[in-house]
Amino acid sequence: MTIAEAALASSSTGKTISIPLLGFGTAEFPFASTHETAKESVVHAIKLGYRHFDTAAVYQSEQPVGEAIAEALRQGLIKSRHEFFITSKLWIANGHCHLVLSALQNTLKNLGLEYLDLYLIQFPASLRPGLGFPFEKEDIAAMDYESVWEAMEECQLLGLTKSIGVSNFSCKKLQNLLATAKIPPAVNQVEMNPLWQQKRLREFCEEKGIHITAYSPLGTKGTPWGTNLVMDSQVLKEIATTNGKTVA
Ligand SMILES: NC(=O)c1ccc[n+]([C@@H]2O[C@H](COP(=O)([O-])OP(=O)(O)OC[C@H]3O[C@@H](n4cnc5c(N)ncnc54)[C@H](OP(=O)(O)O)[C@@H]3O)[C@@H](O)[C@H]2O)c1
């Protein structure tokens, strides 16, 4: 399988990097419940041709993703780590300027990698340091975008990540961040599916050269927070049948 790629607006080096359009998500709730199956799933996905993997410190899937990459190298499924596009995310309890670098260093240690391809601020808010998921509403505070983004930029300049971006940012929040950013975010990863198309945000990001990555593209069917409307959509079922594919 060859997966199409998109160019990302980068970077401090002026080099263009590309992101495989189809990525493999590794969030499974409750987090950390599936270490061994997560590793097996990622190895299987590598065999199927996936090269873009999405993890996050809070998912606790960084270690199994790292083990799967090492396993793929051992088995000769890939020749080098450079064949992968690995995304991870800054957990918002570390969304304070003095905690960003050490959070990324810890992520790299979990993955057993020297660099990420993309490091995202997971949410546009900060939490009290040390807190995990779930958390109480009272523990959320406004993020100081200017100083946190500066720390993200420093991570890229140090070569610990090829690109930096954000997740769950609205147009307004992106606007605030862009007002002081020296390196603009390469990506905004947001919830997006055929029934939630984020038209305004897509137009805004296109205008600013920010690539959008859709998460929960199938609507996270079967969870209390998701919707069955995507997978049960009659229109999508008809398109799928016509093309001899599944809805997914
Ligand atoms: N940045 C963020 O804040 C954020 C938030 C959420 C997710 N994400 C990322 O996006 C990834 C995907 O999101 P998601 O897991 O929430 O939602 P999703 O991809 O919309 O839905 C996943 C669900 O779809 C079902 N599914 C998957 N492949 C299928 C297929 N071929 N046929 C039928 N059903 C299929 C699975 O159900 P079964 O379990 O029943 O097989 C799974 O529970 C995550 O793993 C994570 O990496 C990021």
Side-chain angles (χ1 to χ4, degrees):
M1 173 170 75
T2 307
I3 295 173
E5 300 197 336
L8 290 186
S10 205
S11 76
S12 45
T13 59
K15 273 192 201 149
T16 303
I17 62 168
S18 46
I19 180 168
L21 287 181
L22 191 58
F24 189 91
T26 63
E28 180 84 50
F29 198 76
F31 299 138
S33 57
T34 55
H35 188 110
E36 213 28 62
T37 49
K39 178 186 165 186
E40 276 172 30
S41 305
V42 173
V43 171
H44 189 64
I46 293 168
K47 287 182 184 161
L48 291 176
Y50 281 96
R51 294 295 179 265
H52 169 186
F53 291 91
D54 183 83
T55 179
V58 76
Y59 304 163
Q60 299 181 44
S61 60
E62 292 173 329
Q63 208 183 321
V65 168
E67 287 171 10
I69 292 170
E71 181 65 29
L73 278 164
R74 232 184 337 266
Q75 288 186 27
L77 301 174
I78 47 149
K79 290 196 183 70
S80 137
R81 177 265 177 266
H82 304 305
E83 292 174 40
F84 287 116
F85 190 101
I86 307 296
T87 301
S88 194
K89 309 185 193 87
L90 175 76
W91 178 235
I92 54 175
N94 294 319
H96 307 271
C97 58
H98 65 292
L99 298 177
V100 174
L101 178 60
S102 56
L104 175 53
Q105 285 166 332
N106 201 43
T107 275
L108 292 172
K109 195 168 141 211
N110 290 339
L111 283 158
L113 297 179
E114 286 177 2
Y115 70 91
L116 288 181
D117 296 277
L118 176 63
Y119 195 42
L120 304 176
I121 297 177
Q122 188 154 0
F123 291 101
S126 295
L127 271 189
R128 264 199 299 123
L131 291 183
F133 183 89
F135 48 82
E136 302 296 325
K137 215 172 158 187
E138 303 76 67
D139 295 318
I140 307 174
M143 177 176 275
D144 178 354
Y145 297 126
E146 187 171 351
S147 66
V148 172
W149 189 251
E150 213 173 292
M152 294 287 285
E153 291 172 330
E154 185 60 24
C155 290
Q156 181 172 320
L157 294 171
L158 287 169
L160 300 177
T161 181
K162 300 267 184 211
S163 59
I164 48 177
V166 295
S167 179
N168 299 300
F169 271 54
S170 63
C171 299
K172 197 172 163 198
K173 291 190 164 66
L174 281 170
Q175 196 78 271
N176 288 342
L177 189 138
L178 287 167
T180 57
K182 290 180 208 72
I183 303 174
V187 167
N188 185 19
Q189 183 183 117
V190 294
E191 183 171 1
M192 195 161 74
N193 65 53
L195 290 149
W196 178 241
Q197 297 188 9
Q198 303 261 29
K199 188 167 181 289
R200 205 163 71 85
L201 183 65
R202 276 191 293 123
E203 285 167 0
F204 179 86
C205 286
E206 191 171 353
E207 188 195 314
K208 302 290 179 195
I210 301 170
H211 178 79
I212 288 223
T213 295
Y215 74 67
S216 303
L218 307 179
T220 330
K221 181 176 173 158
T223 61
W225 57 87
T227 171
N228 292 358
L229 293 173
V230 178
M231 296 299 278
D232 292 347
S233 153
Q234 265 319 314
V235 175
L236 292 179
K237 281 182 183 167
E238 280 163 29
I239 294 171
T241 308
T242 308
N243 291 283
K245 308 282 183 195
T246 64
V247 170

